[in-house]
């Protein structure tokens, strides 16, 4: 697996690192030897189908459960020999809110401050600061049961930040949120990272990973099928193309003759040319059309997206492809 490196070639300091993590429940292997290296101050996204082991990985790294094998360090501390030090350095927000709906937002925050052994004055100061930061001041005195889903999720993360964690595990943080609330949460995550926090994100939303993550890993059948930046993962997937559509049948026939390796759609008068979407390839196609004095009515460029990556690497509707892609990803 590639290791992130600093400008001088040395490995970047890892906020989270793991080698050979394994976990089984009965005869079901959930994690089958996964390796991770997450540089400090970055967003790392772990993608995978339901039941792929994303939440299990978070629970192991946050010391909520123990692994069957392998080693891991979080914030420089071994998760087995120094679990208390790990817990002191992290915050965890799960798929389901930890907010107590029977008390107010402010009371939830103060309760968390007490759990972190902050003095009364310090707890009140931190609570006021975080309520303002997460735009919850007006709702602070209201029972959390009256909050919308987005407000509860913001309160959940605010509670997580009471202990000033260096690393935050967000396990599917936007599940069930409306599009506006999701984008608000994205902005919060960006601001956390700007402040130096490392974010370990699990999500089923591919656009979320594409939007936020510096690096992405796809977990499938207990293993990391591929890992890299969004652009690196997209380059693993074939299928990029340029589509030309014509209204004039004669221009369509001429273009089909002038261009090589085209797939024809005679009914739609459209041609599809394999392409990586680069400016160089696009210019080459246009130059060939210009040379033949042909003008297309419509030109669209399709490059593989993370949906394509996900379906290919997890084997959905792409028979015989994942094994080759996994080989390419190594």
């Amino acid at each position: 697996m590639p290791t992130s490196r600093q400008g001088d070639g040395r490995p970047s300091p890892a906020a989270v690192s793991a080698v050979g993590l394994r976990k089984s429940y009965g005869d079901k292997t959930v994690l089958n030897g996964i390796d991770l290296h997450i540089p400090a101050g970055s967003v790392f996204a772990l993608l995978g189908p339901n039941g792929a082991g994303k939440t299990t990985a978070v629970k192991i790294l946050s010391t909520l459960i123990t692994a069957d094998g392998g080693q891991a360090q979080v914030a420089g501390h071994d998760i087995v020999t120094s679990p208390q030090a790990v817990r002191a350095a992290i915050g965890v927000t799960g798929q389901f809110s930890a907010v107590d709906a029977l008390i107010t937002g402010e009371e939830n925050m103060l309760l968390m401050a007490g759990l972190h052994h902050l003095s009364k004055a310090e707890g009140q100061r931190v609570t006021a600061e975080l309520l303002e930061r997460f735009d919850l001041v007006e709702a602070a005195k209201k029972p959390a049961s009256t909050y919308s889903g987005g407000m509860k999720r913001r309160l959940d993360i605010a509670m997580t930040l009471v202990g000033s964690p260096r690393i935050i595990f967000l396990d599917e943080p936007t599940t069930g949120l409306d599009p506006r609330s999701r984008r608000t949460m994205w902005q919060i995550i960006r601001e956390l990272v700007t402040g130096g926090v490392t974010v370990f994100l699990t999500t089923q939303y591919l656009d979320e990973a594409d939007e936020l993550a510096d690096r992405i890993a796809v977990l499938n059948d207990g293993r990391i099928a591929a890992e890299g930046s969004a652009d690196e993962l997209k380059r693993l997937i074939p299928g990029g193309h340029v589509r030309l559509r014509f209204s004039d049948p004669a221009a369509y026939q001429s273009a089909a003759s002038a261009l090589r390796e085209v797939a024809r759609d005679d009914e739609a008068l459209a041609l599809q040319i394999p392409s990586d979407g680069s400016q160089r390839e696009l210019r080459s196609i246009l130059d060939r059309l210009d040379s033949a004095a042909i003008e297309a009515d419509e030109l669209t460029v399709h490059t593989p997206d993370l949906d394509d990556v996900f379906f290919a690497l997890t084997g959905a509707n792409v028979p015989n492809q994942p094994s080759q892609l996994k080989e390419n990803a190594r």
Side-chain angles (χ1 to χ4, degrees):
M1 184 186 68
T3 299
S4 300
R5 295 189 174 273
Q6 305 180 78
D8 58 7
R10 292 181 294 114
S12 302
V16 177
S17 62
V19 178
L21 279 188
R22 291 185 289 105
K23 183 67 178 179
S24 298
Y25 294 102
D27 59 358
K28 179 175 175 55
T29 300
V30 180
L31 298 178
N32 192 13
I34 68 168
D35 299 342
L36 299 169
H37 179 96
I38 304 171
S42 66
V43 179
F44 174 83
L46 187 62
L47 300 180
N50 281 333
K54 302 186 299 294
T55 297
T56 296
V58 169
K59 286 182 175 179
I60 290 172
L61 294 170
S62 57
T63 75
L64 294 175
I65 62 175
T66 57
D68 296 335
Q71 298 177 322
Q73 291 78 41
V74 176
H77 305 291
D78 188 279
I79 61 172
V80 174
T81 61
S82 304
Q84 293 295 341
V86 170
R87 291 169 198 153
I90 68 172
V92 182
T93 297
Q95 302 173 37
F96 306 103
S97 175
V99 171
D100 186 338
L102 299 178
I103 60 177
T104 69
E106 183 179 55
E107 288 168 339
N108 269 284
M109 295 290 294
L110 291 172
L111 180 62
M112 188 61 64
L115 292 174
H116 283 281
H117 308 293
L118 300 184
S119 68
K120 184 176 180 179
E122 180 67 4
Q124 289 174 335
R125 184 192 69 78
V126 170
T127 291
E129 179 184 295
L130 288 170
L131 287 172
E132 182 173 358
R133 179 177 176 184
F134 286 88
D135 194 23
L136 292 168
V137 174
E138 289 186 13
K141 304 288 187 184
K142 298 176 182 177
S145 59
T146 66
Y147 288 16
S148 67
M151 290 169 68
K152 285 180 181 176
R153 200 56 57 89
R154 296 206 308 274
L155 178 59
D156 211 4
I157 293 183
M159 290 165 61
T160 300
L161 293 180
V162 167
S164 300
R166 288 180 283 159
I167 301 163
I168 295 181
F169 293 90
L170 300 178
D171 191 15
E172 301 195 15
T174 63
T175 296
L177 297 187
D178 61 71
R180 184 185 298 275
S181 296
R182 284 183 67 213
R183 291 194 174 275
T184 299
M185 193 60 58
W186 292 358
Q187 186 57 36
I188 288 170
I189 292 170
R190 291 188 189 100
E191 290 170 0
L192 290 174
V193 176
T194 299
V197 173
T198 303
V199 174
F200 185 117
L201 172 75
T202 74
T203 182
Q204 295 183 63
Y205 298 120
L206 305 182
D207 60 332
E208 188 160 272
D210 203 355
E211 184 78 21
L212 296 173
D214 299 295
R215 296 193 73 74
I216 299 166
V218 180
L219 186 62
N220 189 53
D221 290 334
R223 297 183 179 275
I224 300 294
E227 186 265 346
S229 68
D231 286 342
E232 287 170 344
L233 292 181
K234 291 171 189 177
R235 284 198 291 270
L236 294 174
I237 308 300
H241 62 267
V242 172
R243 187 175 187 269
L244 302 173
R245 191 185 62 78
F246 300 84
S247 56
D248 179 6
Y252 167 70
Q253 295 293 348
S254 297
S257 300
L259 298 171
R260 298 184 298 274
E261 298 179 359
V262 297
R264 298 174 55 132
D265 182 343
D266 293 338
E267 185 175 343
L269 297 182
L271 301 175
Q272 185 171 300
I273 305 101
S275 170
D276 61 8
S278 67
Q279 185 176 339
R280 177 184 54 80
E281 283 206 0
L282 191 57
R283 189 182 300 279
S284 173
I285 292 169
L286 293 175
D287 285 345
R288 277 182 277 163
L289 290 176
D290 285 343
S291 297
I294 302 166
E295 186 171 329
D297 292 278
E298 183 181 293
L299 181 152
T300 55
V301 179
H302 172 82
T303 54
D305 56 22
L306 278 186
D307 288 55
D308 299 317
V309 174
F310 183 85
F311 290 132
L313 292 173
T314 59
N317 302 321
V318 191
N320 302 323
Q321 216 174 37
S323 61
Q324 182 61 49
L325 289 166
K326 292 173 191 176
E327 192 66 35
N328 293 341
R330 289 189 185 124

